């Protein structure tokens, strides 16, 4: 025995092992690895690679405290970096032995006896560590079964975002859907509780990650449901998410981690917003329609002398209103063109004789409110022409023309209704509901003005109103 061997400083044997050249440590029948003070792997031998089933990235801090893919206690609980023997000896110096389970990238687990010893300087501070480990062939490690591997493959293939954590909240597994939803892949064993860049409550208030549903599940050992959050991705976009974290327990009922499924409810939120908008719009239209019907009924009643006359006039006006609504429905209530509005009123009275009407003008799109108002105006003019004017005479004809004029941002519509070939026209002794409705509709709903002229050759009506967006 060499002099001084008994009194050698702590860590001398480990340093001697660390200083061997690579060819020498490759000949050793046990696994050997050396790490730096921060736990990053520096060197290892072939036996270690065979046991790990991989070669770690040299000097890579992300692979600290051992080159194994994952480490577990003999009870199957996942070991975080801070719970490994290597972390302990780097923190406190000295030597530590333990039995652990090493999981390889293919999912196979091997039971190993591990000894870690610190490499210390003269002051006793750890500069690194040497680790020796040997497979315990006589002990059966709880390697994942074929069913467990299939389950893992299934989780990876699922379109739903799924990830798992250990008991301390560090992410141990995530599938491609989770990485896509979160806008990036979380770092296993480093990211805790949730892989989201930032979290917010549904109303936009910041939410601490340690207060997220997964953190609550692990802290209180219970499932959490209905805790909707806004997850902000690294690109700044936000997604409304419903998490479904559930504890994972071992056979003894001890908490070993949790699994979380993240449901992106963006489409549901958008559908709810569209539904609210549609309901609001429907309520608005119903109120407007009821107000229009009420006004038509009241004014028709005031200007008719008998129930029969009231019924006929009121029904005809309701039909005109329904035709306007039908036209708007075909266009998803986005508006209607002037030509379609005019033609729908005149066409039923000119079957077989198209020469009796002239409908001419450019394409002009009106808002739903403008379309309904113009439809009622054209209905009154058409009804009057059928009963008292040109469309009631064999050779009578009606001309409806319009033009659109724009000056700066102010576009206006000018429309002309002219009858000819009908009976002699005389101004009425008192205004009827038709002329009243025309003027009120143009002034109130179209924001313009109407002028009626009872010329000898036939009734003429000119309309002018702004074209609103």
């Amino acid at each position: 025995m060499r002099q001084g061997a008994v009194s050698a400083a702590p860590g001398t044997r480990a340093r001697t092992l660390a200083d061997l050249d690579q060819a020498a440590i490759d000949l050793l029948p046990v696994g050997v690895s050396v790490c730096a003070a921060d736990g990053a792997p520096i060197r290892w031998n072939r036996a270690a690679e065979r046991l790990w089933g991989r070669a770690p990235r040299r000097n890579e801090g992300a692979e600290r405290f051992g080159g194994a893919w994952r480490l577990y206690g003999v009870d199957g609980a996942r070991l975080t970096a801070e719970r490994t023997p290597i972390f302990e000896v780097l923190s406190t110096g000295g030597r530590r032995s333990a039995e652990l389970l090493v999981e390889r990238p293919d999912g196979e687990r091997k039971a190993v006896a591990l000894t870690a010893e610190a490499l210390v300087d003269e002051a006793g501070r750890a500069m690194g560590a040497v680790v020796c480990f040997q497979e315990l062939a006589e002990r059966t490690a709880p390697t994942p079964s074929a069913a467990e591997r299939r389950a893992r493959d299934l989780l990876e293939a699922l379109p739903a975002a799924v990830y798992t954590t250990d008991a301390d909240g560090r992410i141990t597994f995530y599938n491609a859907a989770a990485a896509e939803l979160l806008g990036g892949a979380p770092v296993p064993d480093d990211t805790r509780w949730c892989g989201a860049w930032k979290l917010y409550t549904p109303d936009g208030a910041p939410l601490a990650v340690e207060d997220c549903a997964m953190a609550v599940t692990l802290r209180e050992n219970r499932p959490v449901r209905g805790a909707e959050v806004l997850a902000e991705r690294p690109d700044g976009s936000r997604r409304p998410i419903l998490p479904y974290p559930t504890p994972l327990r071992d056979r003894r009922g001890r908490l070993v981690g949790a699994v979380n499924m993240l449901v992106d409810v963006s489409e549901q939120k958008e559908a709810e917003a569209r539904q609210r908008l549609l309901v609001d719009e429907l309520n608005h239209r119903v109120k407007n329609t009821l107000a229009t019907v009420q006004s038509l009924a009241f004014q028709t009643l005031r200007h008719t002398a008998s129930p029969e006359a009231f019924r006929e006039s009121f029904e005809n006006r309701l039909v005109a209103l329904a035709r306007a609504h039908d036209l708007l429905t075909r266009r998803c209530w986005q508006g209607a063109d002037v030509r379609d509005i005019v033609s729908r009123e005149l066409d039923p009275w000119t079957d077989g004789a198209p020469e009796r009407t002239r409908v001419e003008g450019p394409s002009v799109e009106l808002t739903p409110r403008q379309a309904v108002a113009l439809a009622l105006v054209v209905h009154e003019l058409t009804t009057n022409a059928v009963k008292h004017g040109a469309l009631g005479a064999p050779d009578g004809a009606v001309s409806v023309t319009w033009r659109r004029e724009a000056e700066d941002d102010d576009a206006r519509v000018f429309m002309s209704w002219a009858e000819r070939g009908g009976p002699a026209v005389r101004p009425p002794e008192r205004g009827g509901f038709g002329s009243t409705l025309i003027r009120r509709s143009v002034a109130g709903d179209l924001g313009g003005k109407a002028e009626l002229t009872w010329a000898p050759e036939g009734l003429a009506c000119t309309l002018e109103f702004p074209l609103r967006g």
Side-chain angles (χ1 to χ4, degrees):
M1 179 179 294
R2 294 181 303 167
Q3 294 294 323
V6 175
S7 60
T12 299
R13 289 172 298 169
R15 182 176 288 106
T16 300
L17 186 58
D19 289 340
L20 289 175
D21 64 27
Q22 187 65 41
I25 65 171
D26 279 341
L27 293 174
L28 295 174
V30 297
V32 175
S33 66
V34 181
C35 67
D38 65 352
I42 297 174
R43 59 188 302 200
W44 54 87
N45 66 356
R46 293 177 181 174
E49 280 194 17
R50 288 193 296 270
L51 184 61
W52 294 332
R54 66 191 290 266
R57 291 171 291 181
R58 198 178 304 275
N59 296 315
E60 179 59 55
E63 301 208 358
R64 298 184 300 164
F65 311 119
W69 180 250
R70 292 191 178 98
L71 287 176
Y72 297 83
V74 291
D75 60 356
R78 175 74 180 277
L79 294 185
T80 60
E82 292 82 357
R83 295 170 59 192
T84 61
I86 303 172
F87 179 86
E88 182 177 335
V89 299
L90 287 172
S91 302
T92 62
R95 189 168 182 262
R96 169 77 192 283
S97 298
E99 291 185 3
L100 303 174
L101 299 177
V102 170
E103 182 174 287
R104 298 153 56 95
D106 61 4
E108 182 182 4
R109 293 182 184 177
K110 292 181 176 293
V112 299
L114 177 147
T115 300
E117 187 169 350
L119 296 169
V120 296
D121 60 15
E122 294 179 356
R125 292 173 300 194
M127 300 182 301
V130 172
V131 184
C132 297
F133 42 92
Q134 183 172 7
E135 181 179 358
L136 299 174
E138 72 280 1
R139 180 173 297 173
T140 302
T143 300
S145 66
E148 289 172 329
R149 292 181 184 176
R150 284 198 300 272
R152 189 182 182 93
D153 292 341
L154 176 62
L155 290 177
E156 187 62 56
L158 280 177
V162 177
Y163 70 92
T164 61
T165 72
D166 60 19
D168 291 325
R170 289 178 175 80
I171 292 180
T172 57
F173 167 81
Y174 62 89
N175 63 3
E180 181 181 358
L181 177 59
L182 298 173
V187 180
D189 302 323
D190 189 27
T191 307
R192 296 188 74 183
W193 299 303
C194 177
W197 182 253
K198 294 178 183 177
L199 290 178
Y200 299 85
T201 61
D203 60 2
L207 176 67
V209 178
E210 56 267 25
D211 293 330
C212 71
M214 179 61 109
V216 173
T217 287
L218 290 168
R219 189 163 56 242
E220 301 180 7
N221 196 5
R222 65 178 179 86
V224 174
R225 299 292 183 263
E228 182 183 329
V229 295
L230 284 175
E232 183 173 303
R233 295 142 60 94
D235 62 5
S237 62
R238 294 183 182 181
R239 296 283 187 88
I241 291 174
L242 268 178
Y244 290 85
T246 302
L248 296 175
R249 303 182 181 93
D250 62 16
R251 293 180 180 179
R252 299 179 182 178
R254 293 177 298 184
L255 181 72
V256 295
V259 59
N260 198 1
M261 182 175 70
L262 304 176
V263 178
D264 185 352
V265 292
S266 299
E267 293 185 3
Q268 176 183 337
K269 292 293 182 181
E270 292 170 1
E272 289 174 355
R274 287 195 299 269
Q275 186 177 26
R276 286 194 299 269
L277 182 63
L278 288 173
V279 170
D280 291 344
E281 179 65 21
L282 178 61
N283 289 335
H284 178 68
R285 291 176 190 171
V286 169
K287 289 179 181 178
N288 285 345
T289 301
L290 289 177
T292 301
V293 171
Q294 185 179 27
S295 177
L296 289 175
F298 179 71
Q299 295 296 334
T300 303
L301 185 61
R302 284 188 57 190
H303 291 82
T304 52
S306 67
E308 292 77 12
F310 167 78
R311 181 186 61 79
E312 180 183 0
S313 297
F314 185 56
E315 281 185 357
N316 289 336
R317 284 165 180 151
L318 287 182
V319 169
L321 184 63
R323 278 199 292 263
H325 280 218
D326 180 60
L327 181 60
L328 288 168
T329 300
R330 293 173 183 268
R331 299 285 302 278
C332 298
W333 279 81
Q334 298 300 306
D337 193 273
V338 170
R339 180 180 299 278
D340 293 332
I341 295 170
V342 174
S343 297
R344 275 188 166 239
E345 286 296 328
L346 286 176
D347 285 352
W349 305 103
T350 59
D351 277 350
E355 68 280 358
R356 299 191 65 186
T357 58
R358 175 193 174 206
V359 178
E360 189 175 292
S363 176
V364 177
E365 190 80 6
L366 302 182
T367 65
R369 181 174 179 177
Q370 289 176 316
V372 170
L374 183 61
L376 292 176
V377 168
V378 175
H379 169 75
E380 294 302 322
L381 290 171
T382 302
T383 299
N384 183 74
V386 171
K387 289 184 175 181
H388 312 293
L391 293 181
D395 300 322
V398 173
S399 172
V400 184
T401 60
W402 65 92
R403 69 183 188 279
R404 180 182 184 274
E405 293 186 3
E407 184 175 344
D408 297 329
D409 294 332
D410 183 22
R412 302 186 71 81
V413 176
F414 295 85
M415 177 176 283
S416 172
W417 171 286
E419 299 181 26
R420 58 179 176 79
V425 174
R426 292 183 303 172
E429 295 181 0
R430 64 185 182 90
F433 174 52
S435 59
T436 301
L437 185 146
I438 290 172
R439 291 191 178 95
R440 286 182 177 176
S441 294
V442 175
D445 295 322
L446 294 175
K449 58 184 180 180
E451 183 177 343
L452 294 168
T453 303
W454 284 267
E457 61 272 17
L459 175 67
C461 177
T462 57
L463 310 177
E464 177 188 347
F465 57 90
L467 185 60
R468 297 169 184 161

